[in-house]
């Protein structure tokens, strides 16, 4: 926004400068007032002279504030002399600095006639936290203050003061005002304008174009605010005899700053050891001048940092700054420690055996003295008691060749102040009972708990030794300690323990003058997960399956046992699957895969410490063969055909009125009525249009010529007189239609004729269907039989002998029934057609 405004401002200014001479004095802006408070309204007036020949007689005047859109004024009117005047009121000026432009239309654009700068800000607030210090180095009174919030306007600050001989209630002599440098909030009053030991009143005045303000007045005596310079601190040289008698001390001296020597001062000293986390220690109420000062009771830190500062004594004043730090090393004292020792034989070659001695210092006091090195020596008898040095080192162990005649071997710790008490070293033999049931277990990743059962002879203490177990047993990596309490049966090892490492731990009892046999135990400092899972291998692959196998990792100490395996596989569509297996599995078969598909497989081994993945395995299943596809399609077609037939049978089961072929029962165990195809009562139809006195009723139809599936029609359709259905092309049993319900009952004992009729034609042949009938006196079975055979109809068994009465012949003397195979008994057995009747 600022950049855009500056760019627009530059462009508009350039346009104004390049205005034609005829437009320079056409417009003029007046602003009342030009500087306002931030957010206050601004009233502006723009007048356009009538003498501008380039403009219209009554031009429309517009306004623009910075880069905001053009807008007309609140009102525009003409003055008596023809001058056009536009007045605008800006309700809020939110810019601290902005330009207001007066414009008129000029072609397709606008022409700037005049511009005016607007300023907005805030009146200065009262300065606060006024304070003054009298510096003897510059011999001036320096005062500083906080100016307060930004005003966004040029603001002047002036430090004002005057002298006062009373308690600052009355003004005395004036002091020249002090004007600070630009953008600074401090000012100095020189010594020549001050009267020492006399009060003065000081305040700060702030002023800008919107107002002024003053800070609270400060009443002070310049000498009461004197800030001294720190004294000069230095180390004091002391003779070596004093240093040896008083270890752990520092000797110092200091002198005050020379311009303040006439003042009575009080000082304080602070010191801090250069150790991590150390604090400052303060020593107060020290004189301002000291030629020698002894600071003792210091710990054995390598270096101390010391500083000093001073203030006027018994008078108001301010502490000086701390002096620059002085680094000194305190005098040291001889070590006061106990040295625990342990040794091992080190076989260099078959003929040379060296000794390796370990020691561990234990301070006997809070400050046991600084140790600069260790010395191992022995006294030789043939050298008249002169000591022979075996080892001189700063380490806590050394390897040396022990002479066979060496008996009295001693170890001391030393520094520049002396040596510790000599510690005799005894190379003990392994005798006595050893500890039993030694057990070690990792407590956490940085510690190991070791416990044992005390031997039968209670020892004085125990020696515990531990270190990493490796093929090259490095004694420098070993740690050890002596437990002085013989009743101890367990200890927590925390020194020199690293996670997931195999440690060898040795425990040996210490008896008076001898050491018991050492006992070893191995343990890990922590268990970790398997570094990598077993590698997957593809054993066999098929079209919808793949067999995987892997070789389990060889268990190794320190590894947490595995709990399960998890196999993940995903296809090309990122559909993932998984299965969790027992740790006893070494292979698995993936089923239900898609043929000719790509799969990514991973194996994850899981334990209590976490899970580890194997490298990925990519496999492609085999494609289907053509024979498999044919078999699959054949099976599919068979299933579809079976389903279609079953559905058709089910759908037509209830709508079928007759059978595809007559239901032929056993002739020896059935009546005549059962030799005719069964038709349900609701399927009986009537032919009323064919009834007359000479034509009997048609009560039953048996299909003769074609064995076709009958077509079902509703009984209501049978009442029509136009034509008969195509099904009515069969033998017709004639009788009273009212006796339909009894049509299958045996004939009565009367000698009534059995009438037959024949339908000529085919259900499928076109043309008119004709019906021929004749009277016949032929009995159904050729004649009555008193003793029917087993194959005859059973209703003959109960009938008495009857006499057939011949009927008078009708107009149709001859019946055109054809051959005897149209007999109803044979008609029921006819299935395949007339060509097969020769067997009857």
């Amino acid at each position: 926004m600022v950049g855009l405004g500056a760019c627009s401002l530059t462009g508009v200014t350039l346009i104004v400068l390049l205005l034609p001479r005829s437009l320079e004095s056409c417009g003029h802006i007046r602003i009342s007032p030009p500087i306002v408070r931030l957010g206050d309204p601004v009233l502006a007036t723009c007048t356009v002279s009538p003498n501008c020949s380039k403009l219209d007689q009554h031009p429309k005047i517009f306004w623009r504030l910075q880069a905001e859109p053009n807008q007309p004024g609140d009102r525009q009117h003409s003055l008596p002399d023809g001058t056009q005047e536009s007045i605008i009121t800006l309700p809020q000026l939110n810019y601290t600095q902005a330009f207001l432009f007066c414009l008129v239309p000029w072609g397709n654009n606008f022409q700037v006639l005049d511009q005016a700068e607007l300023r907005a800000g805030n009146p200065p607030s009262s300065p606060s936290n006024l304070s003054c210090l009298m510096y003897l180095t510059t011999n001036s009174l320096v005062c500083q203050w906080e100016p307060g919030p930004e005003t966004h306007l040029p603001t002047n600050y002036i430090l004002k003061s005057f002298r006062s001989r009373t308690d600052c209630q009355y003004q005395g002599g004036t002091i020249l005002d002090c004007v600070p440098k630009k953008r600074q909030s401090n000012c100095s009053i020189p010594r020549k304008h001050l009267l020492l030991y006399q009060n003065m009143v000081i305040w700060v005045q702030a002023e800008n174009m919107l107002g002024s303000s003053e800070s609270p007045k400060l009443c002070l005596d310049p000498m009461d605010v004197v800030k001294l310079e720190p004294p000069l601190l230095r180390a004091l040289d002391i003779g070596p005899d004093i240093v040896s008698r008083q270890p752990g001390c520092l000797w110092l001296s200091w002198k005050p700053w020379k311009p303040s020597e006439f003042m009575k001062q009080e000082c304080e000293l602070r010191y801090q050891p250069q150790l991590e986390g150390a604090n400052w220690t303060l020593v107060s109420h020290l004189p301002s001048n000291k030629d020698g000062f002894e600071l003792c009771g210091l710990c054995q830190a390598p270096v101390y940092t010391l500083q000093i500062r001073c203030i006027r004594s018994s008078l108001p004043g301010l502490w000086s700054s701390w002096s620059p730090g002085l680094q000194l090393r305190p005098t040291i004292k001889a070590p006061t420690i106990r040295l625990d020792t342990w040794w091992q034989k080190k076989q260099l070659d078959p003929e040379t055996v060296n000794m390796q001695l370990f020691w561990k210092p234990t301070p006997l006091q809070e400050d046991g003295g600084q140790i600069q090195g260790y010395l191992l020596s022995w006294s030789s008898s043939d050298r008249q008691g002169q000591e022979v040095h075996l080892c001189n080192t700063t380490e806590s162990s050394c390897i040396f060749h022990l002479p066979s005649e060496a008996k009295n071997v001693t170890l001391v710790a030393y520094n520049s102040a002396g040596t510790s008490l000599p510690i005799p070293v005894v190379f003990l033999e392994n005798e006595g009972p050893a500890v039993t049931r030694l057990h070690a277990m990792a407590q956490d990743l940085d510690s190991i708990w070791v416990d044992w059962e005390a031997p039968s002879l209670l020892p004085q203490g125990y020696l515990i030794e531990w270190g990493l177990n490796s093929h090259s047993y490095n004694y420098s990596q070993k740690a050890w300690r002596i437990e002085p309490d013989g009743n101890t049966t367990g200890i927590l090892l925390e020194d020199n323990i690293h996670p997931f490492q195999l440690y060898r731990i040795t425990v040996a009892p210490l008896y008076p003058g001898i050491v018991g046999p050492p006992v070893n135990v191995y343990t890990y400092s922590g268990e970790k997960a398997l570094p990598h899972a077993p590698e997957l291998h593809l054993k066999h692959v098929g079209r919808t399956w793949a067999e995987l196998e892997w070789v389990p990792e060889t268990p190794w100490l320190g590894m947490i046992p595995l709990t399960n395996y998890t196999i993940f596989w995903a296809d090309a569509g990122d559909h993932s699957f998984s299965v969790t297996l027992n740790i006893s599995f070494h292979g698995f078969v993936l089923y239900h895969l898609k043929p000719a598909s790509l799969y990514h497989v991973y194996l994850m081994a899981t334990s209590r410490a976490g899970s580890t993945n194997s490298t990925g395995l990519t496999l492609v299943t085999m494609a289907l063969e053509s024979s498999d596809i044919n078999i699959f399609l054949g099976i599919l077609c068979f299933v579809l055909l079976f389903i279609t037939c079953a559905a058709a049978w089910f759908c037509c089961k209830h709508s079928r009125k007759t059978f595809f072929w007559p239901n032929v029962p056993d002739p020896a165990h059935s009546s005549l009525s059962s030799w005719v195809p069964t038709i349900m009562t609701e399927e009986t139809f009537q032919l009323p249009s064919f009834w007359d006195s000479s034509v009997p009723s048609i009560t039953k139809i048996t299909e003769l010529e074609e064995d076709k599936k009958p077509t079902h029609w509703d009984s209501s359709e049978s009442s029509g007189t136009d034509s008969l259905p195509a099904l009515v092309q069969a033998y017709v049993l004639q009788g009273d239609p009212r006796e339909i319900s009894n049509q299958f009952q045996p004939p009565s004992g009367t000698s009534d004729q059995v009438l037959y009729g024949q339908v000529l034609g085919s259900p499928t042949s076109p043309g008119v269907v004709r019906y021929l009938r004749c009277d016949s006196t032929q009995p159904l079975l050729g004649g009555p039989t008193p003793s029917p055979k087993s194959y005859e109809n059973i209703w003959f068994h109960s009938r008495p002998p009857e006499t057939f009465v011949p009927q008078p012949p009708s107009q149709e003397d001859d019946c055109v029934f054809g051959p005897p195979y149209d007999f109803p008994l044979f008609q029921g057995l006819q299935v395949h057609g007339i060509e097969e009747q020769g067997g009857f």
Side-chain angles (χ1 to χ4, degrees):
M1 179 65 76
V2 176
L4 181 61
C7 181
S8 302
L9 176 61
T10 304
V12 172
T13 305
L14 183 61
I15 292 174
V16 172
L17 294 177
L18 297 179
L19 283 176
R21 290 292 178 181
S22 59
L23 297 177
E24 284 185 355
S25 58
C26 285
H28 178 66
I29 295 179
R30 300 189 306 273
I31 299 177
S32 177
I35 299 178
V36 298
R37 285 177 177 264
L38 192 64
D40 284 359
V42 175
L43 178 66
T45 304
C46 179
T47 58
V48 179
S49 173
N51 300 326
C52 293
S53 59
K54 300 292 182 181
L55 300 177
D56 297 337
Q57 185 176 3
H58 299 286
K60 180 67 174 179
I61 301 174
F62 289 86
W63 298 86
R64 179 192 299 168
L65 179 62
Q66 283 294 91
E68 296 181 4
N70 299 336
Q71 57 177 330
D74 298 336
R75 65 180 183 275
Q76 180 177 340
H77 58 275
S78 298
L79 299 179
D81 59 352
T83 300
Q84 295 292 322
E85 184 179 69
S86 176
I87 301 175
I88 189 173
T89 301
L90 303 177
Q92 276 187 332
L93 183 60
N94 296 323
Y95 297 96
T96 58
Q97 183 179 9
F99 281 89
L100 184 64
F101 303 98
C102 176
L103 310 96
V104 293
W106 186 272
N108 295 328
N109 208 334
F110 289 90
Q111 177 64 52
V112 177
L113 299 182
D114 196 11
Q115 65 177 0
E117 183 180 9
L118 302 178
R119 298 292 299 272
N122 296 311
S125 58
S126 299
S128 59
N129 294 337
L130 175 62
S131 61
C132 300
L133 294 176
M134 184 67 188
Y135 288 94
L136 297 181
T137 53
T138 59
N139 206 17
S140 61
L141 181 67
V142 180
C143 298
Q144 62 183 8
W145 61 90
E146 293 181 5
E150 175 64 38
T151 62
H152 305 291
L153 294 173
T155 303
N156 299 323
Y157 294 90
I158 302 175
L159 182 66
K160 294 180 171 294
S161 59
F162 62 84
R163 303 185 188 92
S164 177
R165 293 185 179 275
T166 57
D167 55 354
C168 298
Q169 296 296 326
Y170 301 97
Q171 181 176 353
T174 59
I175 302 176
L176 187 64
D177 292 343
C178 181
V179 179
K181 294 180 180 181
K182 188 177 182 180
R183 297 186 181 279
Q184 290 190 359
S185 57
N186 57 76
C187 197
S188 299
I189 303 176
R191 168 71 177 81
K192 62 182 179 180
H193 299 302
L194 301 175
L195 290 178
L196 301 181
Y197 303 105
Q198 182 179 350
N199 288 340
M200 59 183 301
V201 178
I202 304 174
W203 74 97
V204 179
Q205 177 179 314
E207 184 179 27
N208 63 14
M209 298 187 66
L210 295 180
S212 62
S213 62
E214 293 182 351
S215 69
K217 291 182 171 57
L218 183 64
C219 179
L220 55 85
D221 181 354
M223 291 304 296
D224 291 343
V225 292
V226 170
K227 184 176 179 63
L228 303 176
E229 292 296 320
L232 179 62
L233 182 64
R234 62 181 182 177
L236 188 63
D237 294 333
I238 303 298
D241 54 341
I242 299 178
V243 173
S244 61
R245 292 196 307 268
Q246 294 181 327
C249 293
L250 291 174
W251 284 265
L252 310 170
S253 68
W254 62 85
K255 288 185 178 180
W257 182 58
K258 190 173 183 179
S260 62
E261 288 181 341
F262 66 94
M263 296 182 182
K264 187 178 180 181
Q265 302 177 26
E266 178 182 340
C267 302
E268 61 183 16
L269 177 74
R270 68 176 184 178
Y271 60 92
Q272 180 188 38
Q274 291 186 356
L275 298 175
E276 184 178 359
N279 297 321
W280 289 95
T281 302
L282 189 66
V283 181
S284 303
H285 306 294
L286 300 177
S288 61
N289 191 354
K290 195 70 174 177
D291 293 333
F293 180 77
E294 180 180 338
L295 183 62
C296 293
L298 304 178
C299 64
Q300 295 298 311
V303 175
Y304 274 84
T305 300
L306 300 98
Q307 291 178 318
I308 192 171
R309 67 178 183 177
C310 297
I311 191 174
R312 286 205 309 167
S313 177
S314 303
L315 293 174
L318 300 173
W319 282 101
S320 68
S321 302
W322 288 104
S323 66
L326 177 65
Q327 280 80 32
L328 295 177
R329 187 185 301 274
T331 59
I332 60 177
K333 60 183 178 181
T336 54
I337 59 174
R338 185 189 79 230
L339 291 172
D340 296 330
T341 61
W342 176 244
W343 58 271
Q344 293 280 352
K345 290 183 179 181
K346 190 172 183 63
Q347 188 81 28
L348 298 180
D349 53 64
E351 298 181 356
T352 306
V353 178
N354 278 2
M355 304 296 295
Q356 183 170 17
L357 183 67
F358 305 93
W359 55 85
K360 183 176 294 184
T362 302
L364 298 177
Q365 300 176 1
E366 184 178 355
D367 182 12
Q370 184 179 1
I371 300 175
Q372 295 179 351
Y374 299 93
L375 181 62
L376 181 66
S377 59
W378 65 286
S379 298
S380 176
S381 58
D382 57 353
R383 297 186 182 183
Q384 298 178 355
Q386 185 180 1
E387 290 188 349
V388 177
H389 300 315
L390 298 176
C391 230
N392 188 359
T393 180
T394 58
E395 304 293 334
S396 59
S397 67
C398 73
I399 300 176
F400 58 93
H401 176 66
L402 181 64
S404 58
E405 65 273 14
K407 300 298 182 184
N408 300 323
V409 179
T410 58
L411 177 67
V412 296
Y414 64 88
N415 58 20
S416 58
T419 63
S420 64
L421 296 176
I423 304 298
V425 179
V426 180
F427 300 98
L428 305 176
E429 297 295 336
N430 292 334
E431 296 181 6
V435 298
T436 57
R437 297 186 181 179
L438 179 61
H439 174 261
M441 180 181 63
Q443 191 78 6
D444 51 42
L445 296 181
D446 300 318
S447 62
I448 297 177
W449 171 258
V450 182
D451 56 68
W452 59 87
E453 186 174 314
S456 57
L457 179 61
L458 188 64
Q460 292 181 339
Y462 296 93
L463 173 75
I464 300 96
E465 183 182 66
W466 66 94
L468 294 175
N469 183 58
S470 60
H471 298 290
S472 57
Y473 195 73
N474 189 358
Y475 284 93
S476 62
Q477 297 180 354
K478 292 179 58 177
W480 61 278
R481 62 179 293 181
I482 292 180
E483 180 60 40
D485 188 3
N487 295 318
T488 302
T489 57
I491 192 171
L492 183 64
L493 307 180
E494 298 179 300
D495 298 334
N496 199 27
I497 300 295
H498 304 284
F500 310 123
Q501 300 295 331
L502 180 61
Y503 281 86
R504 175 188 175 187
I505 304 171
T506 304
V507 177
L510 300 177
Y511 301 103
I514 59 175
V515 58
V519 179
N520 302 325
V521 69
Y522 297 87
T523 188
Y524 273 87
S525 54
E527 294 179 316
K528 57 183 176 181
L530 188 69
H532 54 81
E535 186 176 357
L536 272 176
H537 298 282
L538 179 62
K539 188 174 182 181
H540 299 290
V541 65
R543 290 181 290 274
T544 60
W545 58 272
E547 185 176 0
L548 308 174
E549 65 177 0
W550 60 89
V551 178
E553 292 290 330
T554 303
W556 47 281
L557 294 176
M559 184 188 75
I560 294 181
L562 297 179
T563 57
N564 58 73
Y565 293 113
T566 304
I567 299 179
F568 301 90
W569 68 96
D571 56 14
D574 290 337
H575 299 100
S576 59
F577 311 90
S578 64
V579 61
T580 301
L581 306 175
N582 193 289
I583 197 62
S584 61
F585 279 79
H586 300 160
F588 188 72
V589 179
L590 305 180
Y591 291 105
H592 308 296
L593 305 181
K594 297 179 181 178
S597 299
L598 180 70
Y599 286 88
H600 300 280
V601 189
Y602 301 90
L603 176 67
M604 182 177 70
T606 305
S607 66
R608 295 192 310 273
S611 301
T612 308
N613 289 342
S614 68
T615 56
L617 174 65
T618 301
L619 61 90
V620 178
T621 55
M622 300 178 63
L624 290 176
E625 298 179 357
S626 59
S627 59
D628 298 330
I629 297 177
N630 295 335
I631 294 174
F632 174 76
L633 292 178
I635 295 175
L636 181 61
C637 294
F638 176 78
V639 172
L640 293 178
L641 180 61
F642 177 79
I643 294 175
T644 303
C645 295
W649 178 84
F650 181 79
C651 294
C652 299
K653 178 179 179 181
H654 299 287
S655 61
R656 191 169 59 247
K657 302 307 177 181
T658 60
F659 297 96
F660 288 103
W661 51 82
N663 185 12
V664 181
D666 185 0
H669 300 85
S670 62
S671 63
L672 178 62
S673 61
S674 63
W675 287 80
V676 184
T678 304
I679 298 179
M680 303 304 293
T681 303
E682 63 270 13
E683 296 174 342
T684 304
F685 58 91
Q686 297 177 358
L687 301 175
S689 61
F690 286 89
W691 290 352
D692 54 33
S693 59
S694 61
V695 179
S697 301
I698 297 175
T699 59
K700 188 63 179 181
I701 298 175
T702 301
E703 187 175 353
L704 175 64
E705 294 182 359
E706 294 187 3
D707 184 14
K708 295 186 177 293
K709 184 176 180 180
T711 302
H712 176 72
W713 68 88
D714 195 282
S715 59
S716 62
E717 298 177 357
S718 62
S719 60
T721 60
D722 296 337
S723 64
L724 290 176
L727 182 61
V728 188
Q729 299 182 22
Y731 285 107
V732 179
L733 294 177
Q734 299 177 354
D736 191 351
R738 293 182 297 271
E739 298 177 359
I740 293 176
S741 59
N742 299 324
Q743 61 185 329
F744 295 113
Q745 300 297 329
S748 62
T750 62
S751 60
D752 296 337
Q753 292 181 342
V754 179
L755 302 180
Y756 297 91
Q758 186 177 21
V759 181
L760 300 182
S762 173
T764 59
S765 60
V768 178
V769 180
R770 292 183 303 170
Y771 299 88
L772 300 179
R773 58 188 178 87
C774 64
D775 295 332
S776 176
T777 58
Q778 179 183 3
L780 290 179
L781 295 178
T785 305
S787 300
K789 306 298 181 181
S790 60
Y791 54 85
E792 296 176 345
N793 292 334
I794 58 174
W795 62 276
F796 285 101
H797 293 276
S798 58
R799 293 178 59 87
E802 61 182 41
T803 303
F804 287 90
V805 180
Q807 296 292 336
S810 63
Q811 296 176 358
E812 299 287 344
D813 296 332
D814 298 325
C815 182
V816 290
F817 278 100
Y821 56 77
D822 59 0
F823 189 73
L825 179 61
F826 296 149
Q827 178 64 34
L829 298 176
Q830 182 180 355
V831 177
H832 300 288
I834 189 171
E835 68 276 6
E836 298 181 3
Q837 301 300 321
F840 284 46

